[in-house]
């Protein structure tokens, strides 16, 4: 009986601590961001596969041209490009596909213009390089430079 009571009290205590920590974590980002002099921003990651249907891959020159023509003019304040190794399931065949990839990380205001620019970039890559899609992740974040 005492063991069962202790177990119950321990579970209740852990649950209360977990809930309190979750509330602190939800309230903290704004204060944490202000403490470093930062400001809220949208973080976008675009995921570009390099395999082209009926061709080897998007070349470094083709990628550089695309970046300079489609991405940089829309986000001239800066971005980060990473080489990656992607993996995804082909929606038409169900096969797992491995391919070299690029990730472009952009920090920008959370505005309709930003979202429109991201959509335009995705559509341009899909069209130019015959892709099924370009992945996009979005998150609210704190930025300070």
């Amino acid at each position: 009986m005492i063991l069962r009571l202790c177990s119950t009290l321990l579970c209740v205590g852990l649950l209360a601590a977990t809930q309190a920590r979750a509330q602190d974590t939800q309230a903290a980002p704004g204060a944490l961001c202000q403490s470093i002099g930062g400001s809220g921003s949208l973080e976008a990651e675009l995921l570009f596969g390099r395999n082209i249907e009926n061709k080897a891959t998007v070349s470094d020159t083709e990628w550089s041209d695309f970046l300079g023509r489609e991405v940089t003019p829309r986000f001239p304040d800066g971005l980060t490009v990473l080489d990656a190794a992607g993996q995804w399931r082909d929606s038409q065949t169900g096969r797992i596909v491995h391919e070299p990839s690029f990730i472009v990380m952009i920090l920008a205001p959370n505005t309709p213009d930003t979202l429109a620019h991201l959509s335009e970039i995705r559509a341009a890559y899909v069209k130019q390089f015959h892709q099924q899609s370009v992945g996009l992740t979005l998150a609210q974040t704190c930025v300070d430079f």
Side-chain angles (χ1 to χ4, degrees):
M1 173 75 171
I2 291 176
L3 184 57
R4 188 177 297 160
L5 178 61
C6 288
S7 295
T8 302
L9 289 174
L10 179 60
C11 287
V12 169
L14 288 173
L15 180 60
T18 302
Q19 289 175 339
R21 182 179 166 107
Q23 289 171 351
D24 287 346
T25 303
Q26 291 170 357
L32 181 61
C33 192
Q34 289 175 354
S35 74
I36 64 164
S39 60
S41 181
L42 182 66
E43 179 180 328
E45 288 186 352
L46 293 159
L47 311 170
F48 299 92
R50 291 184 74 170
N51 286 354
I52 301 175
E53 187 177 301
N54 301 322
K55 188 180 172 193
T57 61
V58 174
S59 71
D60 290 342
T61 300
E62 289 171 319
W63 170 250
S64 182
D65 290 346
F66 180 84
L67 194 63
R69 187 180 61 257
E70 300 291 344
V71 184
T72 301
R74 290 179 171 92
F75 295 100
D77 291 339
L79 51 93
T80 299
V81 178
L82 305 166
D83 285 317
Q87 175 180 306
W88 57 282
R89 182 182 305 275
D90 185 311
S91 62
Q92 295 173 352
T93 66
R95 290 182 339 182
I96 301 296
V97 177
H98 300 267
E99 68 180 304
S101 305
F102 295 108
I103 299 171
V104 176
M105 186 173 78
I106 299 167
L107 300 168
N110 187 358
T111 65
D113 281 347
T114 293
L115 298 176
H117 291 327
L118 293 168
S119 292
E120 292 161 359
I121 291 166
R122 294 173 77 198
Y125 195 84
V126 165
K127 182 178 179 182
Q128 181 175 343
F129 298 112
H130 311 285
Q131 301 290 301
Q132 289 183 5
S133 65
V134 171
L136 173 65
T137 66
L138 297 173
Q140 293 287 359
T141 191
C142 175
V143 176
D144 182 44
F145 288 101

